[in-house]
Amino acid sequence: MNVWYNFAPVNEAQKYLLQSLSVAVVDDHALILEGFKSLMRGCGVEGVETFLHAADLVNVLPCKHFDVYIVDIGMPDIDGFELIDIIRQAHAGAKIIVNTIHEEIWLLRRMLDKGVNAIMFKSTDFMQMVDAITAVANGEQYFCPGLKKKLSSYHQRIEHPSEREIDILKALARGYTSKEIASMLFISENTVETHRKRLFAKLGARNIADLMVKAVARGYINASDSSLNS
C-alpha cells in the first residue's frame, strides 16, 4: 500500500497549483487516508477531505464539489465503478483518479472505459501521485508506469477479436453451445463455428479452458463471466 512517510519535493509550479486545490480521498483504510492527508498538506494542499466510506462522499456531493477525486474501486459499501458514475452524475466534469491494488487487465479496461483521468497502482510512490494530481488538475491524463507497461504489452498484440467475436466469446464463457449462440445472435451455426476457429487462432488457445484463461488475461471478458470458475 502506498502509505508514504517521506515528503517528496515539488517544484514551484506544482506547489502553486496544489495550494489552490480541493481534493477528496476515498479509501476504506484509515492509515492510507491519514497518510494522504498529512503528506498532501506537506506538499501545500490544505483542502483535503478524506472519506472512509463511499457513502459519506455521496452524501456531500449535492452541496460540495472537489477539484480532484481520488477513489479506491474496492470500497465495501458502494462498488467503485458505481461511485465513479455517482460522482459524474453530480458533477459532470469531475476529475477522477483511481488509486487501486487491482492490476488485472479486464479491470483496468473497465476503468479506462469509465473515462477516469488517471490510474495509479497502490505500489506507486507519492511523488508520482503528486504528478498525477498536477496533470489531472491541468486537464491531462496520467497513467502510472506500471499501467503504461501493461497497456504497452496489451496493444502490442497483433490481432484482437472483432465485436462479433467478443459476443461469441462471452457466450462461450457462459457455457452456451454453438447452436444456442447461433439462435441468440441470429446467425448460422456454421458462422459461429467460423468465429470460434478465429478466436482460437487469435488467442493461440489449445482448448476452451485455455481460450477462457487467455480471454480473461487479455481483458476481453471478465473473470466472473466464465462458467469455468463456478
Side-chain angles (χ1 to χ4, degrees):
M1 292 182 182
N2 52 0
V3 182
W4 313 277
Y5 290 101
N6 293 313
F7 289 92
V10 294
N11 60 45
E12 287 303 313
Q14 284 179 315
K15 188 174 183 180
Y16 179 79
L17 176 64
L18 291 170
Q19 287 175 342
S20 66
L21 293 180
S22 60
V23 180
V25 187
V26 185
D27 199 290
D28 60 332
H29 293 89
L31 186 61
I32 288 181
L33 293 178
E34 286 306 309
F36 244 118
K37 184 180 285 187
S38 62
L39 289 166
M40 289 299 292
R41 285 178 175 172
C43 290
V45 184
E46 292 295 332
V48 179
E49 289 193 36
T50 58
F51 300 88
L52 192 61
H53 305 286
D56 294 338
L57 172 63
V58 172
N59 289 337
V60 304
L61 287 177
C63 57
K64 189 159 190 178
H65 170 72
F66 295 89
D67 296 311
V68 178
Y69 299 81
I70 302 174
V71 304
D72 180 357
I73 61 166
M75 297 298 292
D77 57 335
I78 298 177
D79 175 78
F81 293 103
E82 181 183 351
L83 177 61
I84 290 170
D85 289 339
I86 293 172
I87 293 171
R88 288 267 165 79
Q89 286 166 7
H91 307 288
K95 296 174 179 177
I96 299 173
I97 298 174
V98 173
N99 188 40
T100 181
I101 62 170
H102 298 288
E103 301 185 16
E104 300 92 333
I105 191 67
W106 65 274
L107 277 173
L108 298 175
R109 279 169 56 95
R110 283 191 68 190
M111 296 175 208
L112 293 171
D113 289 343
K114 285 293 183 183
V116 298
N117 303 88
I119 300 174
M120 306 295 290
F121 294 155
K122 285 195 173 182
S123 55
T124 303
D125 65 48
F126 181 66
M127 193 60 226
Q128 289 173 355
M129 179 59 79
V130 172
D131 290 341
I133 295 170
T134 304
V136 167
N138 281 322
E140 303 168 7
Q141 273 194 318
Y142 188 96
F143 299 141
C144 69
L147 176 60
K148 288 180 179 178
K149 185 176 180 181
K150 282 184 175 290
L151 291 179
S152 175
S153 173
Y154 177 77
H155 288 301
Q156 282 173 4
R157 300 184 179 95
I158 297 173
E159 195 173 13
H160 300 296
S162 66
E163 288 186 19
R164 175 59 82 191
E165 287 166 349
I166 292 292
D167 290 338
I168 290 172
L169 189 58
K170 290 178 178 178
L172 289 171
R174 295 186 177 103
Y176 291 108
T177 66
S178 293
K179 185 175 181 178
E180 290 170 330
I181 296 170
S183 177
M184 290 163 53
L185 299 179
F186 304 103
I187 56 179
S188 71
E189 193 171 344
N190 284 339
T191 300
V192 174
E193 286 301 320
T194 298
H195 284 309
R196 276 179 61 122
K197 290 175 182 177
R198 288 177 181 167
L199 284 167
F200 274 88
K202 288 180 177 181
L203 276 66
R206 300 181 303 274
N207 51 49
I208 192 67
D210 190 34
L211 182 70
M212 294 302 105
V213 169
K214 289 181 176 178
V216 169
R218 296 186 185 187
Y220 299 133
I221 61 173
N222 296 349
S224 58
D225 286 337
S226 177
S227 63
L228 298 177
N229 290 327
S230 58

